[in-house]
Amino acid sequence: MKRSATFCQAILFSATIFLNSMWAYASVSYCKPMDPTKYRPHSVTITEFGAVGDGVTLNTKAFENAIFYLNSFADKGGAELFVPAGKWLTGSFNLINHLTLSLDKDAVIIGSMDSNRWPVIDPLPSYGRGRELPGGRHKALIFGSNLTDVIITGANGTIDGQGAVWWERFKNHTLDYTRPHLVELMHSTEIVISNLTFVNSPFWAIHPVYSSQVLVKNVTILAPLDSPNTDAIDPDSSTNVCIEDCYISTGDDIIVIKSGWDEYGISFARPSSNISIRHVTGQSGSGAGIAIGSEMSGGVSEVHAENLHFTNSLHGIRVKTSAGRGGYVRNLHISDVTMNNVSIAIRIAGQYGEHPDDKYDQNALPVISKITIKDVVGYNIGTAGMLQGIQGDNFSNICLSNVSFGSVRSNPPWKCSNIEGYSNMVTPELCNALNQVPSQSTDCYDDDILEQQPHRSCASRSRSHFLKLSSIQ
């Protein structure tokens, strides 16, 4: 009898290890090493070009002249533009190749409140128009296109967009063009944004688009929790993007991955992929901690996120799409997440977002598949989850493991429709759970197959089998 008990314990231990390994996940980083302290053999200070750091004098021409001068060193090891302590008012300016823009800890680059200082540029081809209005869009405060080896860094200096004037115009419907970002880099590679504080962005704060090898690390991004559309970091049709060690408090999504809008994104066909997100803490007024979409028509895949902490937010984890978007969201792995005071912990929505015009194809249905969410703990949660696909377009292989929200305020705690997937160790109990295991190793992203036992074993007494979630209307 003793030998039998010992044998059962050994089997139980082995089975537990095996079950854990099924959901195992190794840290992933898709970015090659990039050093924000990279040495530049040539350096100038913005004051050498007539800039005055009094917060009143407009310094756009000084930034333009300094960068024009430094362009002559681009093929000689690159150059640094140093911004010392002071308040440096400016309109939009462009960066160049092999440049470091470095801010002193007491330096503040301030965006002008005069919209004429933010020129209007063409809409993104993957959007077909400005995101908010037909036509063009205001250029970002710090802008670059077709660049290589650009570093925006400092000793925690500040970039302030003075967004309140833009938010007011948005609320009053007096915008002429789509609002600008704080930083936008297009068609660029080897980009580092680090050790800075970004505040009061008029629109999305950091927007790498059509770019690759982008590292955003050790940044703080702040905007009032009621500020409209102030997403913090928006990788858009970009690859090999790494976001690490950030604190963000803003009015909309903390991190949101995009890839174009309806027929324009489908035609442009530039996906976002190979994105790593680690050690991010924040709160969002009306958005999510981590989100995909809703503009995802070029496709989003290979996203790994871990060690995330979200508080005081409308959503924790969110996927947004709708009929007409086309594209796909697949191969997402989100793990080690804590949430506190979040209204809806997990939301996958197939009925979200407006369209750029009436030319979109209503039959262009998104493919949402292979999303793994594991090791999540939530406190003071309103609704555990709303997992709602599109009728005739079931979202599949949605896998949840070791997810605990305790007692949530809503009843039922989960709302599910047009969703298929699997779950293991989820509380409150997930809707329409079935005692089935994945039928093949590719059912859940980054997971191995568990061979189903024909009867209850020692292991099954302490840990339930994977549960097949199937809620189809």
Side-chain angles (χ1 to χ4, degrees), residues 262-263 266 323-326 355 358-365:
D262 284 9
E263 71 270 25
I266 294 171
R325 286 289 191 265
H355 303 281
D358 59 4
K359 299 176 183 178
Y360 73 96
D361 179 6
Q362 180 67 30
N363 295 317
L365 300 178

Side-chain angles (χ1 to χ4, degrees), residues 116 165 178 319 413 415 427 443:
N116 293 319
V165 64
T178 294
V319 176
K415 297 179 182 179
T427 58
D443 281 340

Side-chain angles (χ1 to χ4, degrees), residues 113-132:
M113 291 191 290
D114 181 356
S115 63
N116 293 319
R117 305 297 180 182
W118 306 64
V120 175
I121 59 176
D122 290 337
L124 294 170
S126 58
Y127 284 71
R129 46 161 277 189
R131 183 58 186 84
E132 299 182 288

Side-chain angles (χ1 to χ4, degrees), residues 92-390:
S92 300
F93 61 90
N94 295 349
L95 303 181
I96 56 172
N97 290 313
H98 307 294
L99 175 73
T100 296
L101 175 64
S102 179
L103 279 67
D104 180 86
K105 66 181 179 64
D106 295 317
V108 185
I109 294 178
I110 303 174
S112 171
M113 291 191 290
D114 181 356
S115 63
N116 293 319
R117 305 297 180 182
W118 306 64
V120 175
I121 59 176
D122 290 337
L124 294 170
S126 58
Y127 284 71
R129 46 161 277 189
R131 183 58 186 84
E132 299 182 288
L133 293 167
R137 61 204 182 96
H138 286 282
K139 187 167 73 173
L141 183 64
I142 300 173
F143 179 80
S145 184
N146 294 293
L147 301 181
T148 299
D149 180 25
V150 172
I151 300 170
I152 305 171
T153 190
N156 201 33
T158 300
I159 298 173
D160 184 351
Q162 297 200 106
V165 64
W166 297 93
W167 308 332
E168 193 65 26
R169 292 182 65 190
F170 169 79
K171 293 173 183 177
N172 293 336
H173 305 285
T174 57
L175 288 169
D176 295 320
Y177 301 96
T178 294
R179 288 171 285 163
H181 312 295
L182 280 183
V183 177
E184 182 177 71
L185 294 163
M186 300 174 55
H187 302 290
S188 298
T189 188
E190 297 181 31
I191 305 301
V192 178
I193 301 172
S194 71
N195 303 307
L196 291 170
T197 296
F198 297 85
V199 299
N200 299 325
S201 178
F203 200 41
W204 311 340
I206 298 174
H207 185 224
V209 58
Y210 317 144
S211 294
S212 64
Q213 291 298 339
V214 178
L215 173 63
V216 182
K217 184 177 177 67
N218 291 328
V219 303
T220 298
I221 302 176
L222 306 173
L225 292 177
D226 62 352
S227 56
N229 311 111
T230 50
D231 300 352
I233 305 173
D234 292 42
D236 196 341
S237 292
S238 293
T239 58
N240 299 96
V241 178
C242 296
I243 302 166
E244 303 173 356
D245 305 312
C246 299
Y247 175 78
I248 296 164
S249 176
T250 190
D252 211 322
D253 295 326
I254 292 173
I255 296 172
V256 55
I257 303 167
K258 301 176 180 290
S259 67
W261 198 9
D262 284 9
E263 71 270 25
Y264 303 103
I266 294 171
S267 175
F268 196 73
R270 181 80 178 262
S272 282
S273 63
N274 293 354
I275 296 176
S276 170
I277 302 163
R278 298 189 290 193
H279 308 295
V280 174
T281 298
Q283 58 181 344
S284 163
S286 63
I290 180 171
I292 312 294
S294 71
E295 308 88 336
M296 39 60 66
S297 302
V300 175
S301 69
E302 314 307 325
V303 177
H304 288 255
E306 63 176 335
N307 291 318
L308 311 175
H309 309 279
F310 305 132
T311 62
N312 306 322
S313 300
L314 181 59
H315 299 93
I317 300 166
R318 192 176 192 188
V319 176
K320 305 176 279 188
T321 187
S322 68
R325 286 289 191 265
Y328 56 85
V329 176
R330 63 177 179 240
N331 294 354
L332 272 60
H333 196 290
I334 302 172
S335 65
D336 298 323
V337 183
T338 60
M339 305 181 195
N340 187 20
N341 193 30
V342 172
S343 297
I344 304 172
I346 302 172
R347 188 168 192 178
I348 300 176
Q351 305 289 338
Y352 181 92
E354 69 277 16
H355 303 281
D357 51 39
D358 59 4
K359 299 176 183 178
Y360 73 96
D361 179 6
Q362 180 67 30
N363 295 317
L365 300 178
V367 177
I368 312 299
S369 181
K370 293 187 180 178
I371 298 174
T372 294
I373 300 171
K374 68 182 287 270
D375 300 335
V376 181
V377 177
Y379 308 94
N380 192 21
I381 302 298
T383 298
M386 300 177 69
L387 313 178
Q388 298 165 318
I390 299 172

